[in-house]
Amino acid sequence: MGLFRKEKKLDQDSMKEGVGLITLTSPTSVIAEQFRTIRTNIQFSSIDQKLRSIVFTSSGPSQGKSTISANVAVTWADQGVNVLLVDADMRRPTIHQTFQVPNKKGLTSLLTEDEFDFNTTIQKTPVEHLFVLPCGVVPPNPSELLNTKKMDKLIVELTKHFDLVIFDAPPVISVTDAQILASKVDGTILVAPQGIADKRSVIKSKELLDVVHARILGTIMNRVKPENTGGYYGGYYGGYYGAEESKK
Ligand SMILES: Nc1ncnc2c1ncn2[C@@H]1O[C@H](COP(=O)(O)OP(=O)(O)OP(=O)(O)O)[C@@H](O)[C@H]1O
Ligand SMILES: [Mg+2]
């Protein structure tokens, strides 16, 4: 598992090889520390209501959703919180590759089979307290599968078993999956890479999330150039902006 792979418009590497887990391979690095900061900021963005389920999305593809959700999940588990990371990106799944777990059964099996069988679908990871639910067989109709009462039931069941359920979702503009998920979970986080996600797309994403009454917890500015961080962090993950600040 490398750190980051070569920049391309639509990255295929994360689908083939998974994303880099720097929080696992280099937990004392500056970048791992930035992931811990993101986790803390998300925790503080919802002090009144305990977050049990959150979804990560972005306006377009290859903007860092899977990298950020997986690394933030690791930092959460490191705190002793029982975390389940769910691959709800049925269009471009990565979690089975990132954590090297089988992908024969996963979220799609839970949504299509009569009974929820967590024993054959939820997998352990090398990180204590962190479990993953891979995507499973890619279905022809992801939005229809997610937009069901069964999905509502599944979220209720998963949050009974885990302290926090994190969903990695597709981009919000191209398909409705992320909107559907955002309408069902406690909080939504929008990933926006600096210089890649254009302002109009980010505003459009927020509008689409507002339509479904998503509770937007904040925005993560990804790929922030070192010169824009005052040189302090030396790049990569710039910052986390709470919902109020994101409106500015
Ligand atoms: N801050 C960053 N700096 C450099 N590379 C990054 C950064 N964040 C993500 N990447 C790289 O960009 C690529 C896409 O990242 P990732 O797969 O996490 O995005 P995604 O939004 O989940 O994409 P998809 O739309 O395919 O699901 C990966 O190769 C990843 O390593
Ligand atoms: Mg992804």
Side-chain angles (χ1 to χ4, degrees):
M1 285 177 287
L3 168 51
F4 297 122
R5 309 205 165 76
K6 220 171 124 211
E7 279 188 36
K8 272 179 246 148
K9 259 221 144 110
L10 193 56
D11 193 280
Q12 301 297 340
D13 292 355
S14 32
M15 276 183 76
K16 284 192 216 128
E17 295 165 33
V19 300
L21 283 178
I22 191 162
T23 44
L24 193 58
T25 54
S26 195
T28 55
S29 62
V30 169
I31 301 174
E33 185 53 34
Q34 289 175 333
F35 281 118
R36 286 190 283 274
T37 304
I38 290 170
R39 175 207 61 205
T40 306
N41 287 337
I42 297 172
Q43 283 168 327
F44 276 92
S45 66
S46 182
I47 305 172
D48 304 340
Q49 193 199 329
K50 198 169 186 284
L51 291 174
R52 303 301 306 275
S53 54
I54 54 178
V55 63
F56 283 78
T57 187
S58 60
S59 56
S62 290
Q63 299 197 341
K65 300 174 293 295
S66 300
T67 306
I68 295 176
S69 54
N71 280 282
V72 170
V74 171
T75 69
W76 234 302
D78 284 343
Q79 282 193 319
V81 174
N82 285 316
V83 182
L84 178 68
L85 178 64
V86 181
D87 203 340
D89 189 343
M90 301 184 194
R91 324 249 170 190
R92 294 170 59 79
T94 52
I95 285 173
H96 59 289
Q97 294 292 2
T98 302
F99 291 92
Q100 296 289 301
V101 296
N103 192 34
K104 276 205 180 109
K105 297 198 92 193
L107 176 60
T108 53
S109 343
L110 292 175
L111 293 174
T112 49
E113 289 169 8
D114 290 342
E115 301 279 320
F116 291 144
D117 183 357
F118 294 144
N119 291 326
T120 58
T121 47
I122 293 177
Q123 312 281 341
K124 276 191 186 156
T125 72
V127 184
E128 206 186 343
H129 302 292
L130 178 61
F131 297 80
V132 292
L133 174 59
C135 165
V137 178
V138 174
N141 54 347
S143 323
E144 280 77 14
L145 270 187
L146 293 171
N147 201 9
T148 52
K149 288 260 177 320
K150 190 133 192 200
M151 185 65 197
D152 296 342
K153 244 172 105 183
L154 179 61
I155 295 175
V156 171
E157 284 307 309
L158 292 177
T159 49
K160 275 187 204 162
H161 287 80
F162 294 92
D163 301 322
L164 179 68
V165 183
I166 299 177
F167 292 91
D168 178 11
V172 70
I173 292 188
S174 41
V175 287
T176 59
D177 309 17
Q179 272 182 298
I180 295 165
L181 281 164
S183 72
K184 296 181 188 294
V185 296
D186 297 338
T188 300
I189 292 150
L190 199 57
V191 174
Q194 191 181 48
I196 296 175
D198 71 276
K199 200 173 170 184
R200 270 174 312 173
S201 306
V202 177
I203 292 169
K204 177 81 189 157
S205 303
K206 189 188 172 296
E207 285 167 2
L208 288 169
L209 291 168
D210 284 343
V211 169
V212 296
H213 306 292
R215 182 163 168 239
I216 303 176
L217 298 173
T219 308
I220 294 172
M221 186 75 93
N222 192 13
R223 293 177 181 259
V224 175
K225 306 268 182 324
E227 58 268 28
N228 297 339
T229 61
Y232 181 67
Y233 279 135
Y236 296 120
Y237 296 94
Y240 175 84
Y241 299 87
E244 284 309 309
E245 288 167 80
S246 308
K247 286 179 199 154
K248 288 174 196 165

